[in-house]
Amino acid sequence: MDAVVLENASKIFGETEALKRVSFAVPQGCCLALIGHNGAGKTTLMKLILGLATPTAGRVSVLGCDPASAGKAFRKQLGFLPENVSFHDEMTGADTIAFYARLKGVGVRDGEKLLERVGLAHAAKRRVKTYSKGMRQRLGLAQTLLGKPRLLLLDEPTTGLDPLLRQEFFQIIKDLTAAGTTVILSSHVLTELEARTDLAAIMRDGKLAAFGDLDTLRAKAGLPVIVRARGDVAAISGRLNGAFHKIIGPDSASIEIDCPQDEKMKLLRKLAECGDICSDVEVRQPSLDDLYLFYCGRSLNAAGEGGL
Amino acid sequence: MHPLIVIAAKEFRDGLRNRWVAGATILLAALAFVLTIVGSSPTGMLDVKPLTVTVVSISSLTIFLVPLIALLLGYDAIVGEAERGCLLLMLTYPVSRAELLLGKFLGHASILAFATIVGYGGAGLAAAFRGGADAESWQAFSALLLSSIMLGLSFLALSYLISTIVKERSTAAGLAVGTWLLFVVVFDLALMGALVASKGGVWTDLFPKLLLLNPADAYRLFNLSAFDSVRKISGLGGLSASARFPAHVLLAVLAAWIVLPLAGALFTFSRRQA
């Protein structure tokens, strides 16, 4: 069963078209990564799914109902972490989670357990203003897990988390999807999503630029595999006989060869035949970053963000 | 627990934490005590109880202070949450927009009511203790407490209306100060100016009724003219019959000033883009 279905969903705010005819379906228990630069429509998409905004045209169906008109029973099954949320500084972590637990009609004890789960139990009695960015983010995550939601929407959940916490975060996501929860998350940090998300939706200027699992996206993009060979650069280049696009580098003793996916083995066999003139080979599959650049282009916006 | 109560309780606790409750109560109490002590000295020449004098001086103080406290308390109720990102979050919870707004209003209203009752109540007891009080002065004092809370709630409702309309917190702050100036200072000056300019002509009958367009004036008329003993010393003894409104009319005006802006806030909030 599909937890979230969008059919030609469009959203216009005043003059700006935030979403243009987006269609996709996310099966239950899947984890979908929404990827795109700022202003690509990720947050608008989340608002449509949450029922905070209604589509100007098209249809959105979430957990079998229309999110904009669905009642409290529907919203009890949602968990949401906004991109920028600052909880009240003067409240302690325990008070904050207790408030949201009551608001969701969940026992306060469940809130305490969730603080333990995200590793905040030791700081529960401290005020939120003493929390680091990562701790605030974990508090936000704990809040989304209240009442065992069936659908979790996380807007840039891993900002401010160090690599260790990121690992723990994705472990939690994995446990949740294994238990049947559907997770939709957006991110700028693309490489970490690799192998952790089932599906990716790449957004560009309000349009869905690509949708599918990573293998599908890779196949569709047809990005070359990059093979880096070390050894006698000139000799290797001669052996390959101009068959591939080659760049010398990053140092004088290595060469980078762009190779279509289906010719990878052929190239590797040729390199193997080179014998002593090729001392080492490194094969790099296109990463999600490369895919992102392929589908979104290197717009000014994305380049600016990358520099920060 | 009903979400309305959950939100109201949180708002009140927030008020305790960030010292709003303590600050407002102490401010009102301190000023009321000063007025009680200073204001009771000239009562010798009139047959008036100190508590009655307290009613007159406290009501004059209230007109300036309570609207200001209410506006400052409520102007960022919605727009502040929106800027923090909490509004977006809370709207995804199983809580309706009306519950959210009314819950917060209820919480802020209890802060105001607490500060008024405790702050003024103490001063009232002190006045009664110093010179005694008769039944009518107690009545006048209770009416003062009730109407002061209503005055506060009417400006709180106005601040909620502001908070649901604007997009930015700073705009709301500016509008709140503007609202205070308009109703507390400018409105009366403008009425007086117009009255003088027209030399009391055809407008004389209309002017008293225009006072009802301002919750602060409705409050003033209620407290200064509803009780005989108060009227004696408030300077409104000679008020012409046309400017005398029955107490229940003035209270109804105050109530309308709570209900209408709050209804407006509910309406604009229901259409606000999340």
Side-chain angles (χ1 to χ4, degrees):
Chain A
M1 191 199 126
D2 289 333
V4 177
V5 181
L6 275 84
E7 283 170 18
N8 290 320
S10 302
K11 179 70 189 174
I12 301 170
F13 290 112
E15 305 246 306
T16 49
E17 237 183 315
L19 275 188
K20 298 165 193 164
R21 300 177 66 79
V22 173
S23 303
F24 64 72
V26 188
Q28 196 199 326
C30 250
C31 179
L32 169 75
L34 280 177
I35 289 158
H37 53 81
N38 271 354
K42 294 176 307 225
T43 302
T44 307
L45 197 59
M46 286 203 172
K47 282 186 182 174
L48 287 189
I49 295 171
L50 286 164
L52 293 173
T54 48
T56 315
R59 202 175 69 86
V60 179
S61 165
V62 179
L63 302 176
C65 44
D66 173 14
S69 58
K72 293 183 176 181
F74 165 73
R75 280 188 274 164
K76 256 193 149 149
Q77 303 180 322
L78 294 183
F80 175 49
L81 179 64
E83 184 182 354
N84 299 307
V85 60
S86 38
F87 297 109
H88 289 257
D89 275 348
E90 297 295 327
M91 286 172 85
T92 64
D95 283 344
T96 306
I97 203 76
F99 167 66
Y100 284 102
R102 287 194 194 102
L103 210 53
K104 212 164 192 174
V106 179
V108 173
R109 182 79 196 94
D110 291 8
E112 288 167 18
K113 275 187 200 146
L114 286 173
L115 281 188
E116 273 166 42
R117 184 163 181 190
V118 298
L120 274 182
H122 67 285
K125 297 274 173 255
R126 274 163 53 191
R127 288 185 188 191
V128 173
K129 70 174 162 193
T130 67
Y131 280 22
S132 68
K133 178 92 172 77
M135 291 165 84
R136 285 163 199 251
Q137 203 67 12
R138 277 185 279 165
L139 181 59
L141 181 66
Q143 159 278 127
T144 65
L145 301 176
L146 285 166
K148 298 192 175 60
R150 283 176 64 199
L151 174 63
L152 212 55
L153 286 110
L154 311 168
D155 206 350
E156 315 237 346
T158 54
T159 41
L161 296 188
D162 62 43
L164 189 70
L165 290 174
R166 218 165 257 179
Q167 292 278 353
E168 285 175 15
F169 167 79
F170 279 106
Q171 188 55 49
I172 292 176
I173 299 296
K174 212 173 149 188
D175 294 346
L176 287 168
T177 48
T181 305
T182 311
V183 180
I184 298 181
L185 57 90
S186 72
S187 182
H188 279 136
V189 193
L190 306 163
T191 35
E192 66 174 3
L193 299 183
E194 213 156 2
R196 291 189 180 116
T197 55
D198 306 317
L199 289 169
I202 300 181
M203 307 283 300
R204 179 184 188 177
D205 298 330
K207 286 194 210 113
L208 189 64
F211 182 86
D213 58 38
L214 284 176
D215 293 336
T216 317
L217 290 180
R218 279 214 178 89
K220 259 169 79 183
L223 286 179
V225 180
I226 294 170
V227 179
R228 183 182 291 172
R230 286 185 71 84
D232 185 341
V233 172
I236 297 172
S237 189
R239 286 282 184 99
L240 295 178
N241 210 7
F244 300 97
H245 178 70
K246 299 177 285 288
I247 316 166
I248 310 284
D251 51 73
S252 60
S254 52
I255 181 168
E256 274 191 358
I257 307 152
D258 283 2
C259 167
Q261 288 282 356
D262 50 358
E263 289 185 43
K264 185 172 69 184
M265 286 316 293
K266 201 175 118 192
L267 173 66
L268 289 178
R269 273 193 292 273
K270 274 198 169 186
L271 288 174
E273 286 163 11
C274 288
D276 286 345
I277 57 168
C278 178
S279 59
D280 193 15
V281 169
E282 186 189 332
V283 178
R284 195 165 71 84
Q285 290 286 348
S287 69
L288 209 55
D289 267 333
D290 299 323
L291 279 175
Y292 174 75
L293 288 179
F294 173 80
Y295 284 110
C296 292
R298 195 188 283 273
S299 75
L300 276 177
N301 194 357
E305 260 166 40
L308 286 175
Chain B
M1 227 188 311
H2 196 276
L4 203 76
I5 306 298
V6 174
I7 295 168
K10 183 210 175 233
E11 214 57 50
F12 191 81
R13 287 191 66 185
D14 279 352
L16 287 177
R17 272 195 208 93
N18 59 28
R19 314 272 187 277
W20 254 108
V21 174
T25 310
I26 289 169
L27 182 68
L28 291 182
L31 288 169
F33 267 110
V34 170
L35 286 176
T36 306
I37 293 160
V38 177
S40 55
S41 44
T43 54
M45 51 188 177
L46 288 159
D47 179 24
V48 178
K49 297 287 179 201
L51 187 61
T52 314
V53 180
T54 301
V55 167
V56 175
S57 29
I58 287 186
S59 64
S60 308
L61 165 76
T62 305
I63 284 182
F64 287 93
L65 209 53
V66 168
L68 193 63
I69 293 175
L71 286 164
L72 290 180
L73 202 57
Y75 79 90
D76 73 340
I78 300 299
V79 75
E81 295 281 6
E83 275 188 15
R84 262 196 300 273
C86 289
L87 184 64
L88 200 62
L89 180 59
M90 280 197 265
L91 289 178
T92 66
Y93 271 71
V95 182
S96 73
R97 291 191 176 209
E99 282 166 352
L100 187 61
L101 189 126
L102 291 176
K104 287 183 78 79
F105 186 83
L106 201 62
H108 280 144
S110 17
I111 293 177
L112 268 179
F114 179 86
T116 312
I117 291 171
V118 175
Y120 287 175
L125 286 179
F129 184 72
R130 279 165 63 91
D134 51 19
E136 196 186 350
S137 62
W138 272 119
Q139 256 181 17
F141 189 76
S142 318
L144 168 82
L145 281 185
L146 174 74
S147 59
S148 297
I149 293 170
M150 288 177 78
L151 178 71
L153 294 189
S154 69
F155 278 89
L156 191 63
L158 281 169
S159 75
Y160 267 64
L161 182 58
I162 291 170
S163 200
T164 53
I165 291 172
V166 299
K167 291 264 173 289
E168 276 169 46
R169 206 165 161 262
S170 49
T171 324
L175 278 177
V177 172
T179 306
W180 183 80
L181 277 176
L182 174 71
F183 284 117
V184 176
V185 182
V186 178
F187 190 88
D188 290 359
L189 284 181
L191 271 195
M192 270 194 281
L195 192 60
V196 171
S198 70
K199 297 198 170 66
V202 281
W203 296 90
T204 330
D205 283 347
L206 184 64
F207 269 119
K209 297 196 173 62
L210 288 178
L211 288 176
L212 298 184
L213 292 178
N214 183 346
D217 281 325
Y219 170 84
R220 197 194 320 259
L221 286 174
F222 174 77
N223 278 296
L224 299 189
S225 68
F227 294 91
D228 274 330
S229 58
V230 177
R231 214 180 300 133
K232 234 186 285 179
I233 56 160
S234 66
L236 291 187
L239 209 61
S240 67
S242 65
R244 286 271 292 278
F245 298 97
H248 67 266
V249 170
L250 293 167
L251 283 182
V253 167
L254 271 177
W257 270 106
I258 299 170
V259 173
L260 293 180
L262 197 57
L266 279 171
F267 179 73
T268 43
F269 187 46
S270 71
R271 321 191 113 219
R272 189 186 165 106
Q273 189 76 247

